[in-house]
Amino acid sequence: MTWNNSLTQLLYIDYPIVQAPMLGVSTPEMAAAASDAGALGSLAIGGLSPETAQQLIRKVKALTNKPFAVNLFAHPIPVQFSIDEFSQMNTFLEQLCKENGVPYTPLTIENVRFYSYKDQLDILLEENIEIVSFTFGILTDEEIRLFKSKGTILIATVTSVKEARLVAATDIDIITVQGIEAGGHRGTFLEHDHLPMVGLLPLLSQVQAVTNKPLLAAGGIYNKAGIDAILALGAHGVQIGSLFLASMESAAIESYKDAIQQSVAEDSILTQSFSGRWARGLPNLYTQAVDSSGISIPPYPVQNSLTAAIRELARKTNNSQFLSLWAGQNASKAPRRTTSEIIRQLLEGN
């Protein structure tokens, strides 16, 4: 099969495969390994401080001389939220953690700090990042012009044809079409509408009808047969995330890797419980408690800040019951192999 097409030429990669950015799980080592294997590695920096983002970018650069993408969370900040909702959730989390022997110090509003993608733009320009992808929103026209003046390739994420039309009207180069099967956060940015629940195949067809831009397909893809089928249906490439969750370069804790490998497609759920944004992952004690509590969940990134310390402690103690277990519908296929071996498996079909 000939892998070369308009997408691979635009991104200067050998194969039309993008390793999905997965904040907290994908690492500089994963991004570098994916790029060295001929795919496009991705580094997630959404919500991180500019200093941390720059350190991670420079680490990828030290590991590879191949192109890689840096991924932003392009949502507006500050968000409006209810102080009462914040306090109620704080109290609920304190009690939940106490009942389960998990240390928790209630967060004060004064200690909440949100980093916007706008705080990171100067770093990306300074580091001459060649490819910038983003989710949860669209860059402004001025920001797009600024990146294009530097020759940056821009990749947006859509979860509906309505979002695709908005992106198609800009100078953004590539569109990632995220089906409902995909793990992790929904890239939805028309948040005042209902959450789009469209599967990858019908969504891909709908988006093709409104734009000629190269399309990346994301959601439930885990083997060569799936890639071949998606490309035959008109996608220019695929973005794959969950397949790398258990890789050697993944930052996922061991109990997280165990959970996804023992799961089946029907296990994954959509929840706002950890971050305040809809995301697909595996249920655990935490999600079940929050989702059944009836308490209003503060919006992203407020809820994300409230749960940050809980998730960090869960990572340190290998506690999958209090960690966000983001996973797509075919996450159980994730092997404990190196990133380069997984990409080779995708290409060869074995």
Side-chain angles (χ1 to χ4, degrees):
M1 178 177 182
T2 300
W3 295 104
N4 185 55
N5 63 22
S6 59
L7 181 92
T8 60
Q9 294 169 19
L10 184 60
L11 297 175
Y12 294 99
I13 56 179
D14 297 326
Y15 311 112
I17 298 171
V18 176
Q19 164 255 312
M22 299 174 286
L23 190 66
V25 175
S26 57
T27 60
E29 291 80 6
M30 183 186 293
S35 290
D36 282 344
L40 181 69
S42 300
L43 177 70
I45 63 168
L48 302 181
S49 70
E51 295 76 18
T52 300
Q54 187 168 46
Q55 290 171 5
L56 293 173
I57 288 168
R58 290 183 174 177
K59 188 166 186 180
V60 179
K61 286 182 173 181
L63 294 170
T64 185
N65 59 5
K66 298 291 184 67
F68 65 94
V70 175
N71 181 258
L72 306 175
F73 290 170
H75 58 90
I77 287 180
V79 296
Q80 294 182 341
F81 63 94
S82 163
I83 301 301
D84 286 342
E85 285 185 0
F86 180 93
S87 299
Q88 289 170 8
M89 182 57 70
N90 228 346
T91 300
F92 177 81
L93 293 178
E94 183 179 19
Q95 183 61 32
L96 176 64
C97 288
K98 182 179 179 180
E99 291 172 357
N100 290 278
V102 176
Y104 180 76
T105 301
L107 189 67
T108 63
I109 292 178
E110 293 76 20
N111 290 333
V112 175
R113 174 68 167 94
F114 304 133
Y115 287 104
S116 165
Y117 77 95
K118 294 180 183 292
D119 299 320
Q120 303 168 330
L121 293 182
D122 286 344
I123 295 299
L124 299 187
L125 294 168
E126 178 185 336
E127 293 292 332
N128 293 309
I129 300 303
E130 300 176 73
I131 305 164
V132 173
S133 64
F134 47 93
T135 188
F136 303 172
I138 308 179
L139 303 183
T140 66
D141 290 342
E142 181 180 351
E143 290 161 352
I144 292 172
R145 282 194 296 270
L146 185 59
F147 276 119
K148 300 313 292 181
S149 71
K150 301 271 288 186
T152 309
I153 302 299
L154 298 175
I155 307 174
T157 303
V158 304
T159 62
S160 70
V161 70
K162 191 173 180 180
E163 291 173 343
R165 285 194 180 98
L166 293 176
V167 174
T170 71
D171 286 333
I172 290 165
D173 301 280
I174 299 167
I175 299 176
T176 298
V177 179
Q178 186 191 43
I180 195 63
E181 305 92 336
H185 283 101
R186 307 301 301 148
T188 304
F189 57 86
L190 294 178
E191 297 183 67
H192 296 298
D193 294 350
H194 68 279
L195 179 71
M197 303 281 282
V198 189
L200 175 58
L201 295 186
L203 182 58
L204 179 63
S205 177
Q206 292 168 19
V207 174
Q208 283 176 313
V210 301
T211 182
N212 292 321
K213 294 181 186 290
L215 303 179
L216 282 168
I221 303 166
Y222 68 93
N223 59 13
K224 185 177 183 296
I227 295 175
D228 290 345
I230 288 293
L231 296 182
L233 289 172
H236 298 79
V238 297
Q239 178 170 282
I240 297 176
S242 294
L243 194 66
F244 297 101
L245 285 173
S247 70
M248 298 300 107
E249 294 84 1
S250 167
I253 59 175
E254 288 303 306
S255 59
Y256 184 172
K257 293 180 179 182
D258 289 341
I260 60 171
Q261 290 185 318
Q262 294 165 11
S263 69
V264 295
E266 295 84 359
D267 288 341
S268 70
I269 61 169
L270 289 170
T271 181
Q272 294 175 298
S273 59
F274 273 107
S275 70
R277 281 191 69 94
W278 287 108
R280 180 176 293 283
L282 299 179
N284 56 16
L285 188 155
Y286 173 90
T287 62
Q288 292 164 354
V290 175
D291 287 340
S292 65
S293 69
I295 295 176
S296 295
I297 298 174
Y300 182 90
V302 180
Q303 179 72 357
N304 201 57
S305 296
L306 282 167
T307 65
I310 296 173
R311 290 178 282 115
E312 182 57 30
L313 181 62
R315 287 190 190 94
K316 291 179 179 178
T317 57
N318 195 36
N319 182 359
S320 63
Q321 294 304 312
F322 280 81
L323 182 68
S324 48
L325 305 177
W326 302 144
Q329 289 184 336
N330 280 319
S332 64
K333 309 298 183 181
R336 294 191 185 228
R337 304 176 69 180
T338 67
T339 295
S340 62
E341 288 172 339
I342 293 170
I343 291 173
R344 191 178 312 121
Q345 174 182 314
L346 285 169
L347 297 170
E348 297 175 356
N350 52 30

